[in-house]
Amino acid sequence: MRNNAKQTPPAEWFGHPKGLTFLFATEMWERFSYYGMRALLVLYMVDYLLKPERAGNVIGLDALKHGLEALAGPLGAQPLASHIYGLYTGFVYLTPILGGLVADRWLGRRITVALGAALMVAGHFLMASESLFLFALLLLIVGNGAFKPNIVTQLGGLYPHGDTRRDRAYSIFYVGINIGAFFSPLVAGTLGETVGWHYGFASAGVGMAVGLTIYAFGLPNLPPERPRREPPRHAEASPRRALLGVALLFLPATLFWAAYEQQGNTIALWAQDFTDRRVDLLFWQGEIPVTWFQAFNPLMVFLFTPPLVAWWTRRARTGREPLTIEKLSFGCFGVALGYAVMAWAAFANEGGKASWLWLALYFAVITYAELYFSPIALSLVSRLAPESSRSAVMGLWFTTSFVGNMLAGWLGGFWSSLSHVAFFLVAAAVAAVAGALIAASQGMMRELLAE
């Protein structure tokens, strides 16, 4: 009976295993919670929490500030907020390597994902306590580390070795990520800006709780846990091959994220202080809330993804689809172009406020570039990594985001001291160097992917 059950193909919806739908929805709500909180984080610190009358109430903040100042010199509210933002978004992407190891060696992926989701629910609700702000961030960091690598790996586990639907599944999954990311600034951001900061953070907690509930209901449709001593059912990829691939892309990926992750940091400050957010549609006049700009990127992801994937498919039929390494390099140069747009906006409107259309153009360019990098890199790592250590290798890949976000926070600390033109040109240069490094490694990466 057990062997027959293993041979039964999983139930499908829309040409994919049903588990994809549950993972899609779980990740959508998790990203709702993450991006909702991220949209508010820097603004909350600069405009509220780090004010002299409140900063002293935050447990551990003085020690953290002194540690950061020992490395970076005296820090005002804005640079300190940028550093804390960089630490938070950075460690969110370091802990997945530990979460992957815990799942692969001890707890299994299902328990680790559920535990991570529960910790994030607690962390979001604890954001309501000003004194426990740093502890709340710690819970979110640890929870994300348990959740992130294992849900991504479970997605790959829905498909047998060699199933060509896997790449399309990651593209579908990426759309789910960005649906959550689109609605979160509109809901959590609006609540935080207009009703109260803590209402925005609480809405992020509700979203994560919904995601955990969906995951629990979907467990029967997810890949079964693999016994720790079970031999592989097919010839596995070499761990050395996967590690070499990650090593080759580590520095350029780090630089990519350092530039890209200014969206929730200095770009939010540009939107707040240096953007004319007024909209006049004749029949309606108003001002775009600052946090709504964080919805531009995910909105464009699910607008741009279908035509882009269709274009790649047409190119593939004639053997002209860009190679994986070419897509990654193009994505980096695209991010550089996005910051060149912002440098021009700063130059053209020096001393005044720039139209919000400049930000719309920036988000359009950087989003198109992102689609050539982020989902392509996830699919690449999934292909290179062996099943027995796929969660750990995926966690290792996420350390590129850790270092990149730390670098993004450090870079954001120069926002107040550099001219905005100079700052955006530095960000553009960082992304361009990443593209050049990937292009230079093209020969070795082609060999790895051809093995």
Side-chain angles (χ1 to χ4, degrees):
M1 288 293 292
R2 185 175 296 173
N3 290 336
N4 290 339
K6 284 185 179 179
Q7 295 171 359
T8 302
E12 293 190 353
W13 283 344
F14 310 110
H16 286 270
K18 284 175 68 174
L20 173 61
T21 302
F22 288 99
L23 294 178
F24 175 102
T26 302
E27 180 70 5
M28 178 185 73
W29 282 106
E30 187 275 330
R31 292 291 88 182
F32 173 92
S33 70
Y34 174 78
Y35 283 104
M37 182 271 197
R38 195 189 77 162
L40 293 170
L41 185 57
V42 170
L43 300 176
Y44 170 64
M45 288 189 285
V46 172
D47 294 341
Y48 182 81
L49 189 66
L50 298 184
K51 297 291 186 182
E53 63 270 20
R54 298 187 186 90
N57 298 326
V58 182
I59 298 172
L61 181 62
D62 283 342
L64 176 62
K65 183 180 179 182
H66 290 323
L68 291 172
E69 287 182 332
L71 298 173
L75 297 173
Q78 184 276 312
L80 177 60
S82 281
H83 279 283
I84 293 174
Y85 174 89
L87 286 171
Y88 167 67
T89 56
F91 275 99
V92 154
Y93 290 104
L94 176 65
T95 50
I97 192 171
L98 300 177
L101 288 170
V102 167
D104 283 339
R105 297 189 178 184
W106 298 293
L107 296 183
R109 292 165 187 162
R110 294 182 175 202
I111 292 176
T112 310
V113 167
L115 176 62
L119 288 173
M120 286 190 283
V121 172
H124 283 302
F125 284 117
L126 268 183
M127 291 290 286
S129 171
E130 295 170 15
S131 62
L132 296 177
F133 171 73
L134 294 178
F135 183 66
L137 292 184
L138 180 62
L139 285 181
L140 292 170
I141 288 167
V142 175
N144 187 84
F147 181 94
K148 195 170 188 68
N150 294 298
I151 195 167
V152 173
T153 304
Q154 282 183 313
L155 173 62
L158 293 171
Y159 300 87
H161 183 63
D163 193 326
T164 57
R165 297 177 298 170
R166 182 179 300 201
D167 282 352
R168 292 195 294 272
Y170 274 99
S171 292
I172 294 168
F173 186 73
Y174 202 69
V175 171
I177 290 173
N178 284 279
I179 290 175
F182 169 71
F183 284 106
S184 58
L186 304 183
V187 177
T190 301
L191 286 172
E193 283 193 275
T194 61
V195 181
W197 299 109
H198 302 312
Y199 289 94
F201 294 133
S203 69
V206 171
M208 189 65 254
V210 172
L212 176 57
T213 303
I214 292 171
Y215 183 78
F217 275 107
L219 283 174
N221 300 286
L222 301 184
E225 295 289 2
R226 178 179 172 182
R228 300 293 169 266
R229 298 181 181 273
E230 180 184 292
R233 289 189 289 266
H234 52 75
E236 284 200 340
S238 165
R240 182 179 177 184
R241 177 188 177 205
L243 293 175
L244 180 57
V246 172
L248 283 172
L249 294 175
F250 194 93
L251 179 57
T254 294
L255 296 176
F256 173 91
W257 293 119
Y260 177 87
E261 285 295 342
Q262 295 302 318
Q263 290 182 67
N265 188 354
T266 54
I267 292 296
L269 296 174
W270 170 269
Q272 176 177 254
D273 300 325
F274 302 99
T275 298
D276 183 355
R277 295 179 278 117
R278 293 175 297 173
V279 177
D280 186 352
L281 300 177
L282 298 180
F283 58 88
W284 181 83
Q285 294 180 336
E287 187 172 80
I288 304 173
V290 173
T291 53
W292 283 25
F293 285 99
Q294 299 298 310
F296 280 31
N297 170 251
L299 171 64
M300 291 174 182
V301 164
F302 55 81
L303 289 178
F304 293 171
T305 296
L308 182 59
V309 170
W311 182 70
W312 284 342
T313 302
R314 288 195 301 271
R315 301 275 292 182
R317 293 194 190 107
T318 59
R320 294 185 297 163
E321 181 181 5
L323 298 173
T324 296
I325 199 71
E326 292 172 343
K327 291 177 182 177
L328 295 175
S329 182
F330 181 88
C332 294
F333 287 123
V335 170
L337 178 60
Y339 284 103
V341 167
M342 291 305 298
W344 184 256
F347 174 77
N349 297 275
E350 191 171 2
K353 289 192 173 185
S355 167
W356 65 270
L357 293 173
W358 284 106
L359 273 179
L361 178 59
Y362 158 81
F363 279 113
V365 173
I366 205 171
T367 300
Y368 193 74
E370 173 192 1
L371 292 174
Y372 273 82
F373 190 90
S374 186
I376 303 305
L378 287 177
S379 181
L380 170 63
V381 174
S382 177
R383 280 187 297 172
L384 289 174
E387 165 63 25
S388 58
S389 57
R390 187 166 289 153
S391 288
V393 173
M394 191 65 75
L396 180 62
W397 171 251
F398 284 130
T399 61
T400 64
S401 295
F402 159 69
V403 182
N405 276 276
M406 295 288 286
L407 183 57
W410 175 80
L411 186 60
F414 291 100
W415 177 253
S416 298
S417 56
L418 291 177
S419 72
H420 295 146
V421 173
F423 181 87
F424 289 132
L425 287 177
V426 168
V430 167
V433 169
L437 289 173
I438 292 177
S441 68
Q442 187 169 154
M444 293 185 67
M445 285 302 299
R446 280 186 178 182
E447 284 187 33
L448 276 179
L449 295 172
E451 284 183 3

mmCIF file of all heavy atoms in Angstrom, residues 290-311:
data_model
loop_
_atom_site.group_PDB
_atom_site.id
_atom_site.type_symbol
_atom_site.label_atom_id
_atom_site.label_comp_id
_atom_site.label_asym_id
_atom_site.label_seq_id
_atom_site.Cartn_x
_atom_site.Cartn_y
_atom_site.Cartn_z
ATOM 1 N N VAL A 290 3.269 58.238 0.898
ATOM 2 C CA VAL A 290 4.662 57.818 0.696
ATOM 3 C C VAL A 290 4.777 56.308 0.556
ATOM 4 O O VAL A 290 5.457 55.786 -0.330
ATOM 5 C CB VAL A 290 5.539 58.312 1.869
ATOM 6 C CG1 VAL A 290 6.946 57.734 1.769
ATOM 7 C CG2 VAL A 290 5.596 59.831 1.888
ATOM 8 N N THR A 291 4.096 55.572 1.441
ATOM 9 C CA THR A 291 4.252 54.113 1.436
ATOM 10 C C THR A 291 3.666 53.462 0.189
ATOM 11 O O THR A 291 4.027 52.335 -0.150
ATOM 12 C CB THR A 291 3.602 53.497 2.687
ATOM 13 O OG1 THR A 291 2.244 53.962 2.797
ATOM 14 C CG2 THR A 291 4.373 53.882 3.943
ATOM 15 N N TRP A 292 2.779 54.157 -0.521
ATOM 16 C CA TRP A 292 2.188 53.563 -1.722
ATOM 17 C C TRP A 292 3.224 53.379 -2.826
ATOM 18 O O TRP A 292 3.030 52.528 -3.709
ATOM 19 C CB TRP A 292 1.028 54.426 -2.215
ATOM 20 C CG TRP A 292 -0.221 54.254 -1.409
ATOM 21 C CD1 TRP A 292 -0.316 53.851 -0.114
ATOM 22 C CD2 TRP A 292 -1.558 54.488 -1.851
ATOM 23 N NE1 TRP A 292 -1.626 53.831 0.298
ATOM 24 C CE2 TRP A 292 -2.414 54.216 -0.756
ATOM 25 C CE3 TRP A 292 -2.119 54.923 -3.056
ATOM 26 C CZ2 TRP A 292 -3.795 54.344 -0.845
ATOM 27 C CZ3 TRP A 292 -3.500 55.051 -3.131
ATOM 28 C CH2 TRP A 292 -4.333 54.764 -2.045
ATOM 29 N N PHE A 293 4.294 54.150 -2.781
ATOM 30 C CA PHE A 293 5.320 53.967 -3.801
ATOM 31 C C PHE A 293 5.973 52.586 -3.694
ATOM 32 O O PHE A 293 6.489 52.071 -4.680
ATOM 33 C CB PHE A 293 6.384 55.070 -3.694
ATOM 34 C CG PHE A 293 5.917 56.396 -4.211
ATOM 35 C CD1 PHE A 293 5.463 57.382 -3.335
ATOM 36 C CD2 PHE A 293 5.896 56.665 -5.563
ATOM 37 C CE1 PHE A 293 5.013 58.611 -3.804
ATOM 38 C CE2 PHE A 293 5.448 57.893 -6.052
ATOM 39 C CZ PHE A 293 5.006 58.863 -5.172
ATOM 40 N N GLN A 294 5.917 51.991 -2.490
ATOM 41 C CA GLN A 294 6.460 50.650 -2.330
ATOM 42 C C GLN A 294 5.614 49.594 -3.052
ATOM 43 O O GLN A 294 6.045 48.461 -3.235
ATOM 44 C CB GLN A 294 6.554 50.298 -0.844
ATOM 45 C CG GLN A 294 7.465 51.209 -0.053
ATOM 46 C CD GLN A 294 8.899 51.164 -0.527
ATOM 47 O OE1 GLN A 294 9.474 50.100 -0.687
ATOM 48 N NE2 GLN A 294 9.493 52.330 -0.756
ATOM 49 N N ALA A 295 4.400 49.986 -3.470
ATOM 50 C CA ALA A 295 3.545 49.065 -4.225
ATOM 51 C C ALA A 295 3.827 49.108 -5.721
ATOM 52 O O ALA A 295 3.372 48.226 -6.464
ATOM 53 C CB ALA A 295 2.068 49.392 -3.967
ATOM 54 N N PHE A 296 4.553 50.117 -6.187
ATOM 55 C CA PHE A 296 4.827 50.227 -7.624
ATOM 56 C C PHE A 296 5.591 49.013 -8.140
ATOM 57 O O PHE A 296 5.265 48.453 -9.191
ATOM 58 C CB PHE A 296 5.640 51.501 -7.912
ATOM 59 C CG PHE A 296 4.832 52.762 -7.975
ATOM 60 C CD1 PHE A 296 3.693 52.921 -7.213
ATOM 61 C CD2 PHE A 296 5.225 53.810 -8.795
ATOM 62 C CE1 PHE A 296 2.950 54.091 -7.273
ATOM 63 C CE2 PHE A 296 4.490 54.986 -8.864
ATOM 64 C CZ PHE A 296 3.352 55.129 -8.094
ATOM 65 N N ASN A 297 6.638 48.617 -7.409
ATOM 66 C CA ASN A 297 7.480 47.505 -7.858
ATOM 67 C C ASN A 297 6.700 46.187 -7.979
ATOM 68 O O ASN A 297 6.719 45.556 -9.047
ATOM 69 C CB ASN A 297 8.677 47.356 -6.918
ATOM 70 C CG ASN A 297 9.465 46.089 -7.150
ATOM 71 O OD1 ASN A 297 9.421 45.180 -6.326
ATOM 72 N ND2 ASN A 297 10.185 46.007 -8.246
ATOM 73 N N PRO A 298 6.000 45.724 -6.945
ATOM 74 C CA PRO A 298 5.265 44.467 -7.110
ATOM 75 C C PRO A 298 4.146 44.540 -8.141
ATOM 76 O O PRO A 298 3.875 43.540 -8.826
ATOM 77 C CB PRO A 298 4.719 44.181 -5.706
ATOM 78 C CG PRO A 298 4.790 45.477 -4.979
ATOM 79 C CD PRO A 298 5.953 46.215 -5.555
ATOM 80 N N LEU A 299 3.482 45.701 -8.259
ATOM 81 C CA LEU A 299 2.459 45.845 -9.286
ATOM 82 C C LEU A 299 3.062 45.616 -10.664
ATOM 83 O O LEU A 299 2.507 44.879 -11.501
ATOM 84 C CB LEU A 299 1.833 47.237 -9.214
ATOM 85 C CG LEU A 299 0.880 47.609 -10.370
ATOM 86 C CD1 LEU A 299 -0.338 46.699 -10.363
ATOM 87 C CD2 LEU A 299 0.465 49.072 -10.282
ATOM 88 N N MET A 300 4.217 46.206 -10.886
ATOM 89 C CA MET A 300 4.857 46.053 -12.194
ATOM 90 C C MET A 300 5.394 44.644 -12.408
ATOM 91 O O MET A 300 5.465 44.172 -13.543
ATOM 92 C CB MET A 300 5.973 47.085 -12.336
ATOM 93 C CG MET A 300 5.442 48.509 -12.442
ATOM 94 S SD MET A 300 6.760 49.747 -12.431
ATOM 95 C CE MET A 300 5.795 51.267 -12.512
ATOM 96 N N VAL A 301 5.760 43.948 -11.322
ATOM 97 C CA VAL A 301 6.218 42.562 -11.468
ATOM 98 C C VAL A 301 5.131 41.706 -12.093
ATOM 99 O O VAL A 301 5.371 40.966 -13.055
ATOM 100 C CB VAL A 301 6.657 41.972 -10.115
ATOM 101 C CG1 VAL A 301 6.751 40.445 -10.194
ATOM 102 C CG2 VAL A 301 8.006 42.541 -9.700
ATOM 103 N N PHE A 302 3.895 41.791 -11.555
ATOM 104 C CA PHE A 302 2.887 40.906 -12.147
ATOM 105 C C PHE A 302 2.240 41.487 -13.392
ATOM 106 O O PHE A 302 1.505 40.793 -14.083
ATOM 107 C CB PHE A 302 1.854 40.389 -11.130
ATOM 108 C CG PHE A 302 1.099 41.405 -10.334
ATOM 109 C CD1 PHE A 302 0.007 42.061 -10.863
ATOM 110 C CD2 PHE A 302 1.430 41.647 -9.021
ATOM 111 C CE1 PHE A 302 -0.726 42.953 -10.106
ATOM 112 C CE2 PHE A 302 0.708 42.544 -8.253
ATOM 113 C CZ PHE A 302 -0.364 43.190 -8.784
ATOM 114 N N LEU A 303 2.560 42.732 -13.751
ATOM 115 C CA LEU A 303 2.176 43.237 -15.069
ATOM 116 C C LEU A 303 3.196 42.851 -16.133
ATOM 117 O O LEU A 303 2.851 42.526 -17.270
ATOM 118 C CB LEU A 303 2.032 44.763 -15.025
ATOM 119 C CG LEU A 303 0.839 45.338 -14.267
ATOM 120 C CD1 LEU A 303 0.884 46.859 -14.283
ATOM 121 C CD2 LEU A 303 -0.481 44.843 -14.854
ATOM 122 N N PHE A 304 4.487 42.876 -15.750
ATOM 123 C CA PHE A 304 5.552 42.617 -16.719
ATOM 124 C C PHE A 304 5.853 41.136 -16.907
ATOM 125 O O PHE A 304 6.337 40.727 -17.968
ATOM 126 C CB PHE A 304 6.853 43.308 -16.277
ATOM 127 C CG PHE A 304 6.808 44.808 -16.295
ATOM 128 C CD1 PHE A 304 7.856 45.546 -15.746
ATOM 129 C CD2 PHE A 304 5.752 45.499 -16.864
ATOM 130 C CE1 PHE A 304 7.848 46.931 -15.756
ATOM 131 C CE2 PHE A 304 5.718 46.889 -16.877
ATOM 132 C CZ PHE A 304 6.768 47.604 -16.320
ATOM 133 N N THR A 305 5.600 40.309 -15.881
ATOM 134 C CA THR A 305 6.018 38.907 -15.949
ATOM 135 C C THR A 305 5.368 38.125 -17.092
ATOM 136 O O THR A 305 6.088 37.457 -17.859
ATOM 137 C CB THR A 305 5.759 38.199 -14.606
ATOM 138 O OG1 THR A 305 6.570 38.806 -13.589
ATOM 139 C CG2 THR A 305 6.107 36.718 -14.684
ATOM 140 N N PRO A 306 4.029 38.157 -17.275
ATOM 141 C CA PRO A 306 3.446 37.340 -18.353
ATOM 142 C C PRO A 306 3.990 37.671 -19.742
ATOM 143 O O PRO A 306 4.397 36.749 -20.468
ATOM 144 C CB PRO A 306 1.940 37.622 -18.228
ATOM 145 C CG PRO A 306 1.747 38.013 -16.806
ATOM 146 C CD PRO A 306 2.976 38.782 -16.442
ATOM 147 N N PRO A 307 4.048 38.953 -20.156
ATOM 148 C CA PRO A 307 4.595 39.208 -21.494
ATOM 149 C C PRO A 307 6.077 38.866 -21.606
ATOM 150 O O PRO A 307 6.532 38.418 -22.670
ATOM 151 C CB PRO A 307 4.359 40.712 -21.706
ATOM 152 C CG PRO A 307 4.132 41.283 -20.360
ATOM 153 C CD PRO A 307 3.510 40.201 -19.553
ATOM 154 N N LEU A 308 6.840 39.039 -20.518
ATOM 155 C CA LEU A 308 8.259 38.719 -20.580
ATOM 156 C C LEU A 308 8.470 37.212 -20.724
ATOM 157 O O LEU A 308 9.288 36.764 -21.545
ATOM 158 C CB LEU A 308 8.968 39.231 -19.323
ATOM 159 C CG LEU A 308 10.486 39.009 -19.265
ATOM 160 C CD1 LEU A 308 11.180 39.689 -20.438
ATOM 161 C CD2 LEU A 308 11.050 39.515 -17.938
ATOM 162 N N VAL A 309 7.737 36.417 -19.947
ATOM 163 C CA VAL A 309 7.860 34.959 -20.053
ATOM 164 C C VAL A 309 7.401 34.485 -21.429
ATOM 165 O O VAL A 309 8.013 33.590 -22.036
ATOM 166 C CB VAL A 309 7.059 34.266 -18.935
ATOM 167 C CG1 VAL A 309 6.980 32.759 -19.170
ATOM 168 C CG2 VAL A 309 7.687 34.562 -17.571
ATOM 169 N N ALA A 310 6.331 35.094 -21.945
ATOM 170 C CA ALA A 310 5.860 34.728 -23.296
ATOM 171 C C ALA A 310 6.914 35.056 -24.344
ATOM 172 O O ALA A 310 7.125 34.287 -25.288
ATOM 173 C CB ALA A 310 4.557 35.467 -23.600
ATOM 174 N N TRP A 311 7.592 36.182 -24.174
ATOM 175 C CA TRP A 311 8.647 36.559 -25.125
ATOM 176 C C TRP A 311 9.807 35.578 -25.065
ATOM 177 O O TRP A 311 10.327 35.159 -26.082
ATOM 178 C CB TRP A 311 9.129 37.975 -24.824
ATOM 179 C CG TRP A 311 10.172 38.464 -25.787
ATOM 180 C CD1 TRP A 311 10.019 38.792 -27.097
ATOM 181 C CD2 TRP A 311 11.561 38.673 -25.490
ATOM 182 N NE1 TRP A 311 11.211 39.200 -27.650
ATOM 183 C CE2 TRP A 311 12.176 39.137 -26.689
ATOM 184 C CE3 TRP A 311 12.345 38.531 -24.350
ATOM 185 C CZ2 TRP A 311 13.525 39.442 -26.756
ATOM 186 C CZ3 TRP A 311 13.693 38.844 -24.418
ATOM 187 C CH2 TRP A 311 14.269 39.295 -25.612
#
